[in-house]
Amino acid sequence: MADYDLAIIGGGLNGVSVARDAAGRGLRVILLEQGDLGGGASSATPRLVHGDLAMLERRGLLRVRAALAERDTWLRTAPHLVRPTRFVIPSHSDERPPWLLRSWLLLYDRLAPRMRLPASVTIDVTHHPVGNALKRPFGTAFEYSDCLVDDSRLVIANAVDAAERGADIRTGARCVRADRLDTWRLAVIDRGHRRVMTARALANATGAWTASVAETILRMPSLVLGATRISQIIVRRLFETDNVYVFQNSDHRLIFAGPYQRDFTLIGTVDRPFKGDPAIVTMAAADVAYLCEAANRYFREQLDPSDVITTVSGANAVIDPSNWRALQDGAMMLDRPRGKAPLLTIFGGDVTTSRRRAEQAVARLTPFYPMSPRWTARAALPGGDFGWALFEAEVDRACERWRFLTEAEAGRLVAAYGTRIAAVLGDAKSRADLGPAFGPELTGAEVRYLMAREWARFPDDVLWRRSKLGLTMPPEACEALATFMAASA
């Protein structure tokens, strides 16, 4: 008998979503991640959960409708990680005419399920707060509803739920060889120790590493033709409202500029072909300048590349759309030669459709062994067991229980952990009860929780994936955090 029903290589959003879905259907699952969960493209997304308004221009109505349905599913199941936001598209005289934008948004409203998100409206930016940050020529804009998501926290929440449903999640575990018979025999270097395990099916969910894993570890041809790099920039806060601005650029791209971690603005995205090591993905200087110029067409406060605080980049695999259905929701292939164990390959796609993509991937394995029905559309992720409109009530509840928290601190913790904030703060009565402080917000209690429950091993795991506190963490606090984590390991 095999050790596992399903082994998954890759701990990005696709991998952990498949692990969660399969574990919840009763399969024995192991997930192997050579680095940290969400360490690749899954932590470099545009942070949007949306129907993709631009897809209407390409007449992808069914795809938009499916994505909007998933948007509402996320609002129900992850209300701490996925937050409703008003998006604003200023009308530009050199770009799409106002009547076209308005017709798109009316159709967008019609395609969306009824979750009581406000409908789209036309606004006069000269008499509206969203116009304060814009140049004077922009007098009309269109406002509509979509959502922002904490992408790296979404990865972790899926992994936590998978583990609580029985999946074995192993970080720092690299699969170095896979032999395919009627079962898969895997050789794994797990934090310095060589282990051998067997699985009835294998999933390659390694993102930009899909081709190299297929060719060197699985020793079989790959359908991946290359990789694409997605990049964004982070600058100082450019506006006071909580809206996301959607700018029509001169090349017809839609550029997003949204609030990021209270004090910053995230601007993106740029997609370019990528060659090189997916572990080292850097943004080209020309792309930095491109996003600055795109923002400068609209914002009153002008940006120079020297104003960029940091960049965010990640790579993912791509296949030839002329030969395969390389759709917006990713690519999925199941290979099962006669007498051989099945191999599932899954990569690409966006955050919005990740749950549905994993559900479809696991459903492809149902002919090989029995499993319980689909379930993830109805089950809340860890910490998400409250109504999506009650986020502020959860923040107030946290402030009432832990009176030493400021509203901003409580908001950050609820946005990260939802109703599981108690597992982080426990019965603390004061800040001193939370242990040492690392910078203005991070405490020893939170770090211990992240190490014990969320597989954090190194400072970057805490500062850039479990949180984004690395943006404001002083160097001396980073050093103290590294010492604390080494002593606590």
Side-chain angles (χ1 to χ4, degrees):
M1 181 178 179
D3 299 319
Y4 299 96
D5 295 316
L6 176 63
I8 303 165
I9 307 175
L13 185 56
N14 280 329
V16 296
S17 298
V18 169
R20 177 188 182 228
D21 189 292
R25 295 201 206 190
L27 302 188
R28 297 168 300 147
V29 177
I30 184 169
L31 183 143
L32 306 169
E33 166 55 49
Q34 65 178 352
D36 184 33
L37 299 173
S42 296
S43 294
T45 76
R47 296 170 64 90
L48 304 176
V49 166
H50 64 145
D52 193 356
L53 187 63
M55 188 58 63
L56 292 180
E57 192 169 29
R58 300 192 287 274
R59 301 183 180 180
L61 270 65
L62 293 179
R63 197 178 304 174
V64 171
R65 184 168 188 166
L68 288 172
E70 285 301 295
R71 182 192 71 181
D72 285 8
T73 297
W74 285 125
L75 280 173
R76 290 194 306 271
T77 60
H80 52 319
L81 304 176
V82 178
R83 304 296 308 136
T85 306
R86 293 294 275 174
F87 286 56
V88 177
I89 309 178
S91 178
H92 196 295
S93 59
D94 295 334
E95 306 302 335
R96 301 165 182 89
W99 67 264
L100 180 60
L101 294 176
R102 188 69 187 116
S103 63
W104 282 3
L105 292 172
L106 289 173
L107 179 58
Y108 203 69
D109 290 338
R110 292 291 299 272
L111 291 173
R114 296 302 175 196
M115 277 287 286
R116 298 186 301 278
L117 292 184
S120 60
V121 296
T122 303
I123 58 176
D124 179 359
V125 297
T126 60
H127 299 90
H128 194 284
V130 300
N132 294 338
L134 298 175
K135 290 180 176 178
R136 285 300 179 194
F138 301 106
T140 301
F142 303 95
E143 189 181 56
Y144 68 100
S145 293
D146 258 326
C147 297
L148 291 177
V149 62
D150 189 332
D151 50 5
S152 53
R153 290 296 314 168
L154 188 64
V155 173
I156 298 301
N158 272 278
V160 169
D161 201 23
E164 292 179 354
R165 296 177 187 276
D168 188 354
I169 307 294
R170 299 193 188 183
T171 61
R174 181 184 179 190
C175 182
V176 295
R177 184 180 177 91
D179 295 313
R180 189 184 201 182
L181 300 170
D182 57 339
T183 60
W184 286 95
R185 185 177 185 273
L186 309 177
V188 178
I189 305 299
D190 186 357
R191 303 193 184 187
H193 301 282
R194 185 179 178 88
R195 306 182 190 278
V196 176
M197 60 191 69
T198 56
R200 297 173 63 188
L202 179 66
N204 180 1
T206 53
W209 287 267
T210 300
S212 62
V213 167
E215 293 164 3
T216 63
I217 297 174
L218 308 181
R219 301 182 307 286
M220 58 190 304
S222 171
L223 298 171
V224 173
L225 294 181
T228 184
R229 176 185 62 203
I230 184 169
S231 300
Q232 299 148 95
I233 59 174
I234 297 175
V235 299
R236 63 187 177 277
R237 187 71 180 257
L238 298 176
F239 46 88
E240 296 300 323
T241 68
D242 291 330
N243 299 83
V244 174
Y245 290 86
V246 184
F247 297 145
Q248 304 174 81
N249 203 23
S250 56
D251 57 2
H252 295 290
R253 287 177 181 264
L254 294 182
I255 303 299
F256 296 87
Y260 191 76
Q261 302 298 307
R262 293 201 303 266
D263 299 324
F264 305 95
T265 301
L266 181 72
I267 302 174
T269 60
V270 182
D271 296 317
R272 305 290 189 201
F274 174 76
K275 292 183 179 180
D277 184 355
I280 308 173
V281 184
T282 57
M283 189 172 182
D287 290 341
V288 173
Y290 169 87
L291 289 178
C292 288
E293 291 169 6
N296 289 341
R297 294 185 77 201
Y298 291 84
F299 281 132
R300 183 179 302 174
E301 186 173 353
Q302 298 291 280
L303 290 174
D304 184 81
S306 61
D307 295 320
V308 174
I309 296 169
T310 189
T311 62
V312 181
S313 295
N316 213 333
V318 293
I319 59 177
D320 185 354
S322 65
N323 295 327
W324 294 90
R325 296 178 64 186
L327 303 179
Q328 181 74 7
D329 57 353
M332 224 181 299
M333 290 150 280
L334 180 66
D335 177 60
R336 204 283 172 94
R338 184 180 296 274
K340 300 290 186 179
L343 169 66
L344 177 69
T345 303
I346 177 172
F347 60 85
D350 61 10
V351 174
T352 307
T353 55
S354 58
R355 185 211 63 83
R356 181 171 177 265
R357 188 163 57 249
E359 183 180 73
Q360 293 172 340
V362 176
R364 293 193 176 197
L365 298 174
T366 53
F368 307 115
Y369 29 68
M371 60 180 77
S372 47
R374 303 182 183 198
W375 62 279
T376 55
R378 303 178 303 277
L381 283 168
D385 49 337
F386 62 93
W388 65 270
L390 300 177
F391 181 86
E392 296 302 331
E394 289 297 318
V395 174
D396 292 342
R397 189 173 293 112
C399 289
E400 179 68 23
R401 178 171 176 182
W402 295 280
R403 295 182 178 275
F404 55 86
L405 292 177
T406 67
E407 185 175 350
E409 290 168 339
R412 181 188 76 82
L413 291 168
V414 172
Y417 307 106
T419 57
R420 296 199 171 188
I421 185 175
V424 179
L425 301 180
D427 296 324
K429 304 299 182 185
S430 68
R431 294 182 186 277
D433 294 335
L434 299 178
F438 308 100
E441 295 191 59
L442 186 65
T443 66
E446 186 172 0
V447 175
R448 290 190 190 97
Y449 173 85
L450 295 174
M451 294 179 70
R453 304 284 293 276
E454 295 191 0
W455 304 278
R457 294 186 294 153
F458 305 109
D460 277 1
D461 301 345
V462 172
L463 297 177
W464 295 105
R465 287 178 287 278
R466 308 308 183 278
S467 75
K468 295 295 186 292
L469 295 176
L471 281 167
T472 56
M473 183 73 70
E476 60 274 14
C478 293
E479 296 173 5
L481 173 62
T483 300
F484 178 83
M485 294 182 70
S488 303

